[in-house]
């Protein structure tokens, strides 16, 4: 059997970009008459490519939201919000299915992600690893629209990313904690769980950058990777603080880039350091609300999760319908929450 003609084949023969071929095939404006004629001539010679995307079985688009299977307060919150927005999706003629894939094995994650080729589109929060990139690229080549959600997979063929600027979030944390330092307290701790999520890696980078640039006299110390779960994270942080690796009397603040922030706050409470050592965490959960009120956390950095999920669905539907400007997205801001502005 002959290999079906692809948009890339037509673009290469006509000497134009794939976006131009897509415009011509879908009769969208923005292509001059001469270029349009050249593309159509190549199509006549090579044949038309198969239609993008998968045919819908019913009236609705079929979208997959892919999240890590590992339990964390943030991912659980995202999962709940997607489920709560089912009615909103139905009104937009969208049938959404949430998949929780294991991140411990990148190859398994990639294999299960690739099996979603029967969907019209996929929004994925995934580790930034080569097998995952290849799986995303394969989905796109088969006509599935793919965007990344909350954590990007740079270098893949995903069509856009939706989520806050995580490097800016890390820089914000560094600025806040740097301004809290003073006197003998000249050390900032940077803690996280072992991760391959680019969101958390970007936060670390941003934090280190701004401290180096604006607070050169402060010292940044990486803690050992925190284990999953708040209780285990608390025990690990206590062991570190009681070791000779750092002097608790010199710690001005702790930035925890991912899960386990409640455990970090409990460790400080056990040493009588609540309110003395500021803690910056991410994501506004019920537990983080309580810790803000009790001075267990100094700041919580947050993004509008509902907006991100809703925008992801809107963008994917626009891509499926070939809407011009589908990728024009306003990304959410990094919000700074304190005990004084809770609502």
């Amino acid at each position: 059997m002959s290999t079906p003609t692809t948009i890339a084949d037509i673009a290469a023969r006509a000497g134009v970009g794939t976006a131009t071929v897509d415009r011509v095939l879908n009769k969208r404006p923005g292509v001059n008459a001469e270029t349009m004629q050249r593309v159509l001539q190549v199509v006549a010679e090579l044949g038309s490519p198969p239609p993008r995307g998968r045919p819908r079985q019913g009236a609705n688009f079929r979208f997959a939201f892919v999240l890590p299977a590992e339990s964390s307060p943030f991912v659980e919150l995202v999962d709940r919000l997607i489920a709560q927005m089912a009615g909103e999706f139905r009104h937009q003629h969208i049938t959404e299915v949430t998949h929780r894939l294991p991140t411990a094995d990148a190859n398994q994650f990639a294999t299960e992600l690739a099996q979603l080729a029967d969907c019209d589109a996929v929004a994925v929060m995934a580790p930034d690893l080569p097998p995952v990139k290849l799986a995303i690229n394969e989905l796109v080549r088969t006509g599935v629209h793919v965007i990344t959600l909350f954590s990007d997979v740079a270098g893949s063929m995903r069509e856009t990313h939706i989520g806050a600027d995580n490097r800016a979030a890390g820089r914000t944390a560094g600025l806040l904690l740097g301004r809290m330092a003073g006197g003998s307290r000249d050390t900032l701790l940077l803690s996280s769980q072992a991760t391959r999520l680019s969101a958390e890696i970007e936060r670390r980078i941003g934090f280190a950058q701004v401290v180096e640039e604006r607070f050169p006299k402060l010292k940044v110390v990486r803690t050992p990777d925190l284990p999953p779960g708040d209780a285990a994270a608390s025990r690990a942080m206590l062991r570190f603080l009681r070791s000779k690796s750092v002097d608790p009397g010199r710690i001005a603040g702790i930035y925890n880039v991912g899960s386990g922030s409640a455990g970090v706050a409990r460790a400080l409470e056990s040493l009588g350091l609540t309110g003395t050592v500021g803690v910056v965490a991410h994501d506004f959960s019920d537990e983080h609300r309580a810790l803000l009120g009790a001075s267990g956390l100094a700041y919580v950095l947050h993004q509008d999760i509902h907006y991100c999920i809703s925008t992801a669905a809107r963008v994917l539907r626009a891509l499926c319908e070939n809407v011009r400007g589908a990728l024009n997205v306003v990304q959410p801001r990094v919000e700074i929450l304190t005990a004084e502005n809770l609502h």
Side-chain angles (χ1 to χ4, degrees):
M1 294 178 63
S2 61
T3 303
T5 302
T6 67
I7 289 179
D9 294 333
I10 297 170
R13 178 74 70 86
V16 299
T18 55
T20 299
V21 176
D22 186 69
R23 287 192 182 95
V24 173
L25 294 175
N26 290 286
K27 298 180 174 60
R28 296 203 306 271
V31 183
N32 64 50
E34 181 182 350
T35 301
M36 183 182 298
Q37 184 59 39
R38 188 162 70 250
V39 170
L40 291 175
Q41 183 177 345
V42 172
V43 170
E45 295 170 358
L46 300 182
S48 298
R52 266 181 82 83
R54 300 296 184 185
R56 287 180 286 161
Q57 300 301 314
N60 286 7
F61 290 105
R62 181 178 170 83
F63 291 174
F65 285 86
V66 178
L67 304 174
E70 287 70 17
S71 178
S72 75
F74 176 73
V75 176
E76 296 299 330
L77 177 58
V78 173
D79 198 341
R80 288 198 304 274
L81 284 177
I82 292 172
Q84 292 169 8
M85 294 171 68
E88 179 181 330
F89 291 144
R90 282 196 297 272
H91 285 300
Q92 300 176 51
H93 303 290
I94 295 170
T95 298
E96 95 292 342
V97 179
T98 302
H99 298 266
R100 301 290 293 270
L101 306 186
T103 56
D105 185 335
N107 290 313
Q108 182 182 353
F109 189 103
T111 298
E112 296 188 27
L113 179 61
Q115 293 172 359
L116 300 178
D118 60 339
C119 294
D120 293 294
V122 174
V124 58
M125 178 180 177
D128 186 3
L129 293 169
V132 177
K133 292 181 183 180
L134 292 175
I136 289 174
N137 293 350
E138 186 59 31
L139 284 174
V140 173
R141 291 190 184 101
T142 60
V144 179
H145 294 285
V146 180
I147 65 171
T148 52
L149 186 62
F150 300 118
S151 186
D152 200 7
V153 182
S156 70
M157 293 171 65
R158 60 92 174 123
E159 290 170 88
T160 192
H161 169 67
I162 295 176
D165 183 334
N166 285 290
R167 189 167 296 197
R171 291 182 65 89
T172 300
L175 182 63
L176 293 171
L177 290 180
R179 288 174 173 174
M180 294 175 68
S184 62
R185 294 194 176 273
D186 59 357
T187 301
L188 301 178
L189 300 187
L190 177 59
S191 65
S192 70
Q193 296 180 351
T195 182
R196 291 296 180 268
L197 290 174
S198 67
E200 298 183 6
I201 296 170
E202 287 292 310
R203 291 170 186 173
R204 293 177 191 163
I205 294 171
F207 179 80
Q209 282 179 335
V210 81
V211 174
E212 181 181 349
E213 293 166 6
R214 303 188 62 160
F215 307 100
K217 294 183 179 180
L218 297 182
K219 180 181 179 182
V220 175
V221 177
R222 276 289 307 274
T223 71
D225 288 337
L226 299 179
D230 288 327
S234 178
R235 291 192 294 270
M237 182 59 72
L238 267 175
R239 284 194 300 271
F240 176 76
L241 294 174
R242 287 170 173 163
S243 71
K244 296 182 179 180
S245 302
V246 66
D247 178 2
R250 303 191 73 89
I251 301 173
I254 303 176
Y255 175 40
N256 188 56
V257 305
S259 300
S261 297
V264 171
R266 290 173 196 161
L268 293 177
E269 183 181 15
S270 299
L271 297 177
L273 295 174
T274 298
T276 302
V277 175
V279 179
V280 176
H282 280 270
D283 310 317
F284 189 49
S285 64
D286 291 338
E287 188 167 28
H288 285 177
R289 175 194 289 271
L291 286 169
L292 277 173
S295 300
L297 298 178
Y299 303 99
V300 170
L301 304 181
H302 187 65
Q303 58 185 311
D304 190 334
I305 301 173
H306 183 280
Y307 169 82
C308 291
I309 297 170
S310 179
T311 299
R314 177 179 59 78
V315 168
L316 289 176
R317 179 179 172 180
L319 287 170
C320 289
E321 295 178 336
N322 290 313
V323 175
R324 191 173 186 180
L327 298 180
N328 294 336
V329 178
V330 177
Q331 302 290 9
R333 292 185 177 183
V334 178
E335 302 174 26
I336 304 173
L337 301 180
T338 73
E340 306 302 327
N341 67 350
L342 302 181
H343 57 275

